[in-house]
Amino acid sequence: MKKLLHILLYAAVLAVAQSARAQKDETIVFTPQWTAQAQFAGYYVAEAKGFYREAGVKVRIEHPSATQPAMTRLRRNECQATTLQLCQALEIIDEGIPLVNILQTSMNNAMVIVSARDKDPLTQKGAKVGIWSVGFGQLAICMSIKDHLDYEWVRFAQNVNLFVAGALDATLAMSYNEYYQLVQAGIRMTDKNVYRFCDHGYNVQEDGVYMSRDYYATHKEQARRFARASRKGWEWAAAHPKEALDIVMEYVDKNHIATNRVMQKLMLEDVLRLQVDRESKKREFRLRPDMVRQASRLMVENQMLGREVAYEELVSKE
């Protein structure tokens, strides 16, 4: 009997060891929510500098395509982690797809509305306003409804051509991305024609790294190692911005992205700025419960969510 117990115990220990080894050898496919650019510098740094390898986790970065967005890849188990804005994550959880935030990089909102001809966006009722076809504009829709602006939303894929060509009255832009595209296109930016959501009661966090709750439940240690190494990548990028930009440009070139070093430098500087919490003045890497509540309530009030999504639904229960 004692011999049988020893055999059973040995088999159990062996099974646990094999499971742990299998998880260690398993690759996490990470899909950022957009094409290669400085918005994702910390992850490129973590891969290029060997931080993932040092953490004992295998990571492969695969960018999305126009026909296969990041969330679609996550739903199909073609990737195990992706970046999402907080408002996007709330929508997805409300749809019945449980997610876990394993790392929060953004501490501030980057969205702006830029109006043509120096007009105040808040005086342009019924204006034609550009919005991303892949999402990201939830707060702008809430603001439009709340302030009775009745904007006519015109969806665009990835650039500012419609606005520059004069086909739109205004356009949404990220302060680290389309904003600088507009500056490079010669659009004049003033306090009058640029509305910054973070300065008007809509300072809701954006980018975080998410996994499906099912995957996280069976790969917690992998997820934690991936998150720690990714954070290390971002901290290294903040301390070595020039070298981080060199790494970004390698990924940009490898993925044949039409951009330039000046644009990516501006993007990296602004993304790093947005990672510093306005109140603590620190790079905190945490999801703030108050911002989750604020975003959830705004979206429920404007019928973008069927219910309020609680902070506890987005984080690990341990």
Side-chain angles (χ1 to χ4, degrees):
M1 184 67 178
K2 186 180 289 187
K3 185 176 181 180
L4 177 60
L5 287 173
H6 284 164
I7 292 172
L8 292 172
L9 180 61
Y10 175 76
V13 170
L14 184 62
V16 170
Q18 288 175 336
S19 175
R21 188 162 54 250
Q23 283 197 25
K24 185 177 180 180
D25 292 340
E26 188 176 334
T27 298
I28 291 178
V29 179
F30 169 59
T31 299
Q33 79 255 47
W34 201 239
T35 53
Q37 57 185 19
Q39 181 182 359
F40 312 116
Y43 312 109
Y44 303 152
V45 166
E47 185 179 57
K49 302 297 290 184
F51 297 157
Y52 291 132
R53 184 177 63 253
E54 291 170 6
V57 61
K58 292 183 179 179
V59 177
R60 185 169 71 250
I61 300 174
E62 293 183 356
H63 291 87
S65 66
T67 57
Q68 213 173 27
M71 196 57 211
T72 298
R73 289 176 54 83
L74 190 69
R75 285 188 174 108
R76 294 176 179 173
N77 294 318
E78 293 172 357
C79 71
Q80 288 70 51
T82 187
T83 51
L84 294 170
Q85 291 190 4
L86 173 57
C87 288
Q88 285 180 293
L90 295 179
E91 282 187 331
I92 292 163
I93 291 174
D94 185 45
E95 291 170 6
I97 303 172
L99 298 173
V100 179
N101 176 300
I102 64 169
L103 178 69
Q104 183 66 33
T105 55
S106 158
M107 298 302 293
N108 299 285
N109 196 276
M111 193 163 58
V112 302
I113 298 179
V114 180
S115 290
R117 297 176 292 278
D118 285 337
K119 289 186 178 179
D120 182 345
L122 297 185
T123 66
Q124 292 184 286
K125 287 195 174 186
K128 290 183 178 180
V129 182
I131 188 171
W132 300 276
S133 58
V134 292
F136 310 152
Q138 293 89 345
L139 288 181
I141 294 172
C142 287
M143 184 273 279
S144 174
I145 295 170
K146 184 178 177 182
D147 292 345
H148 307 289
L149 292 172
D150 301 320
Y151 285 154
E152 178 186 340
W153 298 106
V154 179
R155 299 196 173 275
F156 63 84
Q158 61 177 346
N159 56 44
V160 296
N161 290 350
L162 282 175
F163 179 74
V164 174
L168 299 174
D169 301 306
T171 189
L172 295 183
M174 291 298 180
S175 65
Y176 55 80
N177 193 358
E178 293 87 3
Y179 179 91
Y180 289 118
Q181 292 179 31
L182 292 169
V183 170
Q184 289 186 343
I187 301 298
R188 184 167 174 263
M189 302 293 191
T190 69
D191 290 340
K192 184 176 180 180
N193 75 321
V194 178
Y195 176 97
R196 296 181 182 274
F197 284 80
C198 62
D199 295 334
H200 296 275
Y202 297 97
N203 193 27
V204 171
Q205 290 171 289
E206 293 180 331
D207 287 4
V209 180
Y210 291 84
M211 286 180 168
S212 72
R213 191 164 286 277
D214 285 346
Y215 183 84
Y216 176 80
T218 56
H219 298 79
K220 290 179 183 176
E221 185 56 32
Q222 264 191 305
R224 289 165 183 158
R225 291 180 182 210
F226 172 59
R228 284 196 297 267
S230 297
R231 173 172 176 165
K232 185 176 180 180
W234 278 114
E235 290 171 337
W236 193 94
H240 307 86
K242 183 179 180 299
E243 295 90 338
L245 183 60
D246 292 338
I247 294 171
V248 168
M249 294 310 297
E250 289 177 12
Y251 280 81
V252 164
D253 292 341
K254 183 170 65 176
N255 286 270
H256 309 293
I257 304 301
T259 185
N260 57 69
R261 189 179 180 90
V262 172
M263 176 67 191
Q264 294 304 312
K265 180 176 183 292
L266 292 168
M267 182 183 290
L268 180 59
E269 290 172 351
D270 205 50
V271 166
L272 291 172
R273 176 186 66 82
L274 292 162
Q275 290 181 353
V276 178
D277 186 82
R278 284 185 167 192
E279 296 173 13
S280 69
K281 311 301 181 187
K282 296 179 181 178
R283 193 167 273 108
E284 296 188 8
F285 296 100
R286 71 179 180 97
L287 191 62
R288 285 181 44 164
D290 60 323
M291 290 197 183
V292 174
R293 285 193 298 271
Q294 179 187 7
S296 186
R297 287 171 184 170
L298 273 171
M299 293 174 74
V300 168
E301 288 170 5
N302 293 285
Q303 301 180 347
M304 300 187 72
L305 292 178
R307 63 177 180 86
E308 285 196 18
V309 178
Y311 167 80
E312 289 75 17
E313 295 181 68
L314 283 89
V315 296
S316 168
K317 291 181 169 58
E318 296 182 352

